[in-house]
Amino acid sequence: MVFRKPPDGGWGWVIVVVSFFTQFLCYGSPLAVGVLYVEWLDAFGEGKGKTAWVGSLANGIGLLASPVCSVCVSSFGARPVAIFSGFMVAGGLMMSSFAPNIYFLYLSYGIVVGLGCGLLYTATVTITCHYFDKRRGLALGLISTGSSVGLFIYAALQRELIDLYGLDGCLLIVGALSLNILACGSLMRPLESSDSPSPEKTRVDKVPDQYFVYHEKEKSVEENISILEKGYIDEKCVNNVPDYKPDSILNKNVLASINVNEKDTYKKKVVEQTNFCKQLAKRKWQLYLNYWEETVVLFKNKVFSALFVAILLFDIGGFPPSLLMEDVARSANISEDDYHVPLISIIGIMTAVGKLTLGILADFKWINTLYLYVSTLIMTGMALFAIPFAKSYLTLAMLSGFLGFLTGNWSIFPYVTTKTVGIEKLTHAYGILMFFAGLGNSLGPPIVGWFYDWTQEYDTAFYFSGFCVLLGGFLLLLAALPCWNACANQSSKLPPNTYSYKVASSA
């Protein structure tokens, strides 16, 4: 697909608006699942670790499937993927209202809703990066605030709906609201040149059906020619010789001459078509090999390798507070009179502020976005260490707001990835990184829940979470140190626009 130069405006702002509402509608309930988590604990009577799998799958399965999501967006485009995913999210939420047990929720809420959210996230980020270049940080910050605003509103909305209509009615209404994703997806017009279709796609579409006549069993070119020649002669004998008379020498010679010429032409066409099919198969296989070769080259970049470790550890330790903070407050025996605003709502609104603020900061040339991202990881780890010492609503609210602001680093993560590998490798690299992020999202809350089931307190769990985030931050900082520049210049296989060359100069 041939893309035009990013306009940094125009229809791009429409893309920003619809992407904002898409993330608002699809991620509102999964990110505010902490409200539902408490209800599911009471409804099904399962352990905290087991119940936490529902929310962790909803937020992690889409990221785990990011490579597949990236392929879908690259193959079909952002608009068809967004519309299809809207049906998935709405259907999964409505199915969850009929869940008879926790295992049904693993499928309906965890897998179906989670996969739909993953597809929508990849679609919105990819199409936004195509429409913006100079203002990419601001655009990504704006659309990523959609999920945070959704978390803030859905936390209060779902609690109110549960009080009015019960848990089942809440999920049905939230699912119906998600159908508005279809309207948002229909406005995601692709940025491509209509007069320059994909050459590869055109060639594949123009392959006639007869090229694939012998798909049941592979045969050599000679066997195919002999089979077609036999069928050709039989067909000619049946269709073209009803008036043939054995005693007519003239007719016999003319027919033989015509048959020879037509057979030669036919055999030549068969050979050309067979060779074309072989070349097509070789080209597809080469594309597959190139994909894995590019993956190997990506991991030879020290910053990219450290980035995937950091995002894995960050999601293992940094995601559980947004899911479990409500239960942390209940376990601390905080009075309902002091419970003014849901902690999840505080996390949500501060995450929106953090995404927008960090996204704007990323556009300043004098700020190194990689070091900015590392600083958010280190401060997040320190805040997680402080959670066990918070015994009042005020301290928990302050820590929730601080953690929410730092979680806004999601808005600059695509920006850091683009600067690391280049826009031409964004979809490939981002799919790999989101896979590890999804793995961390899926494992983090159950691990914290299991720690509670074993120790009957959250202190050890959050010490573990803080250690994971700090470790990831320091590893990424070590990989980005300027002393690696001399070593990076000796590697000829690294892409010329990798972040390793820019760390020292832009610091």
Side-chain angles (χ1 to χ4, degrees):
M1 187 174 290
V2 180
F3 293 99
R4 298 194 300 269
K5 182 180 179 181
D8 278 301
W11 191 259
W13 295 118
V14 177
I15 297 296
V16 169
V17 172
V18 298
S19 297
F20 172 90
F21 281 106
T22 297
Q23 293 202 17
F24 170 86
L25 293 167
C26 75
Y27 275 107
S29 180
L31 289 179
V33 72
V35 175
L36 304 176
Y37 169 75
V38 177
E39 299 295 328
W40 286 330
L41 283 174
D42 298 334
F44 300 114
E46 302 287 352
K48 296 181 186 294
K50 196 173 183 179
T51 307
W53 272 111
V54 181
S56 63
L57 283 175
N59 288 276
I61 199 70
L63 299 177
L64 281 172
S66 285
V68 178
C69 297
S70 299
V71 171
C72 291
V73 174
S74 299
S75 302
F76 304 106
R79 178 159 52 188
V81 169
I83 293 174
F84 175 77
S85 303
F87 283 110
M88 289 188 65
V89 173
L93 289 169
M94 292 178 181
M95 287 170 56
S96 299
S97 65
F98 302 100
N101 50 55
I102 200 72
Y103 302 103
F104 187 90
L105 285 173
Y106 289 164
L107 173 64
S108 61
Y109 198 98
I111 296 179
V112 177
V113 175
L115 186 57
C117 290
L119 287 167
L120 286 167
Y121 181 80
T122 305
T124 54
V125 168
T126 302
I127 196 169
T128 302
C129 288
H130 285 157
Y131 268 88
F132 288 89
D133 183 19
K134 296 179 181 179
R135 299 177 179 177
R136 185 175 295 145
L138 174 62
L140 290 173
L142 287 172
I143 69 167
S144 60
T145 56
S147 58
S148 303
V149 175
L151 168 58
F152 173 74
I153 293 178
Y154 271 72
L157 175 64
Q158 290 184 147
R159 175 173 290 183
E160 189 67 24
L161 290 176
I162 290 172
D163 293 339
L164 293 175
Y165 305 106
L167 180 60
D168 298 343
C170 169
L171 290 170
L172 279 174
I173 295 173
V174 170
L177 289 175
S178 300
L179 289 173
N180 289 286
I181 296 172
L182 306 182
C184 296
S186 63
L187 296 175
M188 293 183 182
R189 188 173 66 194
L191 180 65
E192 59 179 313
S193 179
S194 58
D195 56 349
S196 301
S198 173
E200 179 183 342
K201 203 169 204 179
T202 303
R203 287 195 297 268
V204 174
D205 292 342
K206 289 184 178 179
V207 176
D209 293 337
Q210 61 264 29
Y211 286 11
F212 307 101
V213 170
Y214 301 106
H215 62 278
E216 296 181 359
K217 180 181 178 182
E218 291 188 6
K219 297 180 175 63
S220 64
V221 177
E222 292 77 10
E223 289 175 335
N224 285 335
I225 293 175
S226 63
I227 293 173
L228 289 173
E229 181 180 358
K230 182 179 179 182
Y232 176 86
I233 295 174
D234 293 342
E235 183 181 357
K236 284 293 183 179
C237 291
V238 172
N239 297 333
N240 296 338
V241 198
D243 298 329
Y244 172 71
K245 298 179 180 179
D247 57 346
S248 177
I249 299 175
L250 180 60
N251 289 342
K252 182 176 181 180
N253 292 336
V254 172
L255 181 60
S257 175
I258 294 175
N259 283 345
V260 169
N261 294 333
E262 291 185 356
K263 283 191 293 182
D264 290 341
T265 303
Y266 197 74
K267 283 193 278 187
K268 186 181 295 185
K269 288 182 178 180
V270 170
V271 172
E272 292 176 354
Q273 295 167 358
T274 306
N275 289 335
F276 178 81
C277 292
K278 283 187 173 182
Q279 293 299 323
L280 183 62
K282 288 181 180 179
R283 185 163 55 250
K284 290 295 183 182
W285 176 251
Q286 189 61 43
L287 290 174
Y288 176 79
L289 294 178
N290 290 341
Y291 176 86
W292 290 107
E293 289 176 0
E294 291 176 1
T295 302
V296 172
V297 172
L298 285 174
F299 278 98
K300 288 183 178 180
N301 183 349
K302 290 182 178 63
V303 177
F304 180 83
S305 298
L307 200 58
F308 96 85
V309 175
I311 192 66
L312 171 64
L313 295 176
F314 171 73
D315 279 274
I316 288 178
F319 176 66
S322 63
L323 175 61
L324 303 174
M325 193 60 80
E326 294 293 324
D327 194 53
V328 170
R330 188 169 70 170
S331 301
N333 297 321
I334 294 177
S335 174
E336 292 185 0
D337 296 334
D338 299 331
Y339 209 84
H340 305 294
V341 180
L343 296 176
I344 295 181
S345 295
I346 296 175
I347 293 176
I349 194 61
M350 290 306 297
T351 301
V353 174
K355 287 179 177 179
L356 186 58
T357 303
L358 294 173
I360 294 174
L361 290 176
D363 282 333
F364 289 106
K365 295 182 179 180
W366 52 273
I367 292 182
N368 186 305
T369 52
L370 181 59
Y371 288 155
L372 178 63
Y373 183 75
V374 170
S375 65
T376 61
L377 295 183
I378 294 175
M379 287 188 288
T380 299
M382 296 173 64
L384 289 171
F385 275 121
I387 289 180
F389 300 98
K391 301 300 181 182
S392 66
Y393 173 81
L394 179 60
T395 54
L396 283 176
M398 293 174 61
L399 285 174
S400 297
F402 189 59
L403 285 170
F405 181 87
L406 296 174
T407 306
N409 61 8
W410 273 101
S411 67
I412 62 174
F413 189 74
Y415 197 96
V416 172
T417 307
T418 304
K419 289 294 184 180
T420 303
V421 301
I423 186 64
E424 68 280 357
K425 296 182 183 295
L426 171 64
T427 304
H428 183 185
Y430 201 72
I432 295 173
L433 293 172
M434 288 301 99
F435 173 84
F436 290 101
L439 186 62
N441 267 352
S442 300
L443 295 177
I447 289 175
V448 173
W450 290 331
F451 269 114
Y452 184 91
D453 292 337
W454 294 334
T455 63
Q456 295 302 308
E457 45 88 15
Y458 279 113
D459 295 357
T460 306
F462 283 109
Y463 290 145
F464 170 80
S465 298
F467 173 77
C468 288
V469 177
L470 281 176
L471 178 61
F474 282 120
L475 287 176
L476 184 56
L477 178 62
L478 180 64
L481 289 177
C483 64
W484 292 111
N485 282 351
C487 299
N489 291 332
Q490 299 175 1
S491 176
S492 59
K493 291 187 177 181
L494 284 177
N497 57 345
T498 54
Y499 210 99
S500 300
Y501 296 94
K502 299 183 178 181
V503 171
S505 60
S506 59

